[in-house]
């Protein structure tokens, strides 16, 4: 298979683990990976109904032994560790981990759940992936993609806890993806910042009560939303081409844009003069 005429060498015949893969962008990514001849895709989610429906769809379309749904609360460390073991024990390798799971809520009283899923589980998963894939740990190298958000780059007061977790994911991923770590592990760590995407989480019926502190709904703040297919395509392009420590924007139904220099420049501005004080 080819992607726009380009063979995706970092997709074909690779073993993937995707969190938050039962619906939305995650499900879109799972479908596209199999279309591009991934060897095996395990997708984790707490949404059992959606996960089993997708697994049945993939079985019909791609046959047995190509995709597996694993019900897992990634904020539960033991469940998450067991899911990793299950995937590794099946194929004796994991090539790519996509940390896509997210909790989006304007209810700050739910801050612990937001932090546990969006940030803590992302860190935990990245470290697990390094343990399984790192050449310094006996692995063969690989790739980790951590999902941030454009909200991490355009501060707004609407979703303070969510946005905070996403800027933390960005900083963590850029740091652990730096050459210092990559040279030892040969595991690329990439960051993707999605723009508003047409998933169920941005549909008005699903959020009619959840953003009650603001005069406009979250959906109205994102009137232009890219298609899930565009987001999924973009993810595959980043996996195929991204350099470890890089950050990519996927928005507005356009091809991914490497914004690593923007991120670096922003941090340089913020740190200007600090080392001299």
């Amino acid at each position: 298979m080819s992607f726009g005429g380009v063979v995706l060498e970092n997709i074909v015949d690779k073993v993937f683990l995707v969190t938050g893969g039962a619906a939305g962008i995650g499900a879109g990514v799972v479908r596209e990976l199999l279309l591009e001849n991934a060897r095996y895709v395990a997708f984790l989610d707490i949404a059992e109904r959606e996960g089993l429906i997708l697994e049945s769809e993939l079985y019909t379309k791609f046959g047995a032994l190509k995709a597996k749904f694993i019900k897992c609360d990634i904020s539960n460390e033991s469940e998450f560790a067991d899911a990793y073991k299950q995937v590794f024990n099946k194929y004796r390798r994991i090539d790519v981990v996509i940390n896509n799971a997210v909790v989006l809520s304007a209810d700050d009283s739910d801050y612990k759940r937001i932090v546990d899923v969006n940030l803590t589980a992302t860190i935990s998963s990245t470290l697990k992936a390094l343990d399984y894939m790192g050449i310094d740990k006996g692995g063969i190298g690989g790739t980790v993609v951590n999902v941030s958000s454009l909200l991490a780059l355009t501060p707004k007061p609407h979703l303070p806890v969510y946005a905070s977790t996403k800027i933390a994911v960005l900083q963590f991923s850029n740091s652990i993806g730096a050459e210092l770590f990559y040279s030892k592990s040969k595991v690329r760590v990439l960051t993707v910042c999605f723009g508003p995407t047409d998933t169920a989480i941005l549909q008005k019926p699903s959020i009619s009560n959840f953003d009650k502190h603001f005069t406009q709904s979250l959906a109205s703040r994102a009137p232009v939303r890219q298609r899930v297919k565009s987001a999924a395509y973009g993810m595959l392009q980043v996996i195929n081409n991204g350099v470890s420590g890089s950050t990519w924007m996927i928005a507005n139904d356009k091809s991914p844009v490497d914004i690593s220099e923007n991120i670096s420049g922003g941090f340089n501005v913020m740190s200007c003069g600090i080392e001299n004080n």
Side-chain angles (χ1 to χ4, degrees), residues 24-46:
I25 294 175
V29 168
V30 170
R31 292 185 180 99
E32 297 304 325
L33 289 171
L34 292 173
L35 284 170
E36 294 301 325
N37 274 354
R39 182 181 181 187
Y40 176 77
V41 181
F43 58 103
L44 284 51
D45 211 301
I46 60 171

Side-chain angles (χ1 to χ4, degrees), residues 61-266:
K61 189 168 185 177
F62 299 102
L65 306 178
K66 293 292 289 185
K68 174 66 177 176
F69 167 63
I70 302 174
K71 184 180 180 182
C72 177
D73 179 354
I74 63 171
S75 67
N76 182 311
E77 186 62 30
S78 62
E79 280 189 32
F80 206 5
D82 286 344
Y84 258 87
K85 288 178 184 177
Q86 185 175 333
V87 177
F88 184 79
N89 288 342
K90 185 176 183 64
Y91 279 97
R92 308 312 302 173
R93 59 189 273 196
I94 298 173
D95 296 301
V96 183
V97 172
I98 302 174
N99 291 312
N100 169 75
V102 65
V103 172
L104 174 60
S105 175
D107 183 0
D108 288 348
S109 66
D110 198 27
Y111 72 91
K112 191 175 188 302
R113 177 67 178 167
I114 299 172
V115 174
D116 284 349
V117 172
N118 296 5
L119 177 59
T120 306
T122 295
I123 294 173
S124 172
S125 182
T126 302
L127 297 178
K128 286 182 176 64
L130 288 167
D131 282 340
Y132 278 98
M133 298 191 292
I135 62 171
D136 54 334
K137 302 294 181 65
I140 59 173
T143 302
V144 175
V145 184
N146 291 332
V147 175
S148 181
S149 168
L150 289 188
L151 279 178
L153 310 178
T154 54
K156 289 181 173 63
H158 308 310
L159 298 165
V161 178
Y162 173 83
S164 298
T165 62
K166 289 305 182 179
I167 190 63
V169 165
L170 175 63
Q171 175 74 306
F172 166 74
S173 303
N174 284 183
S175 297
I176 206 163
E179 180 63 24
L180 173 68
F181 292 97
Y182 176 73
S183 62
K184 297 176 182 177
S185 69
K186 298 304 178 186
V187 176
R188 295 180 301 155
V189 181
L190 314 170
T191 309
V192 166
C193 295
F194 286 118
T197 305
D198 196 18
T199 61
I201 202 167
L202 284 182
Q203 301 303 317
K204 290 183 180 180
S206 69
I207 61 169
S208 57
N209 297 317
F210 115 96
D211 201 19
K212 59 189 176 182
H213 300 297
F214 304 102
T215 56
Q216 295 178 304
S217 70
L218 180 61
S220 68
R221 294 195 197 109
V224 179
R225 303 192 290 271
Q226 69 182 341
R227 296 170 298 157
V228 168
K229 193 173 187 67
S230 298
Y233 277 171
M235 175 71 81
L236 268 63
Q237 289 176 291
V238 170
I239 292 170
N240 201 55
N241 301 316
V243 175
S244 190
S246 60
T247 302
W248 297 76
M249 176 178 70
I250 304 176
N252 303 318
D253 288 315
K254 296 180 180 179
S255 296
V257 177
D258 186 345
I259 58 172
S260 304
E261 289 189 9
N262 299 41
I263 303 299
S264 177

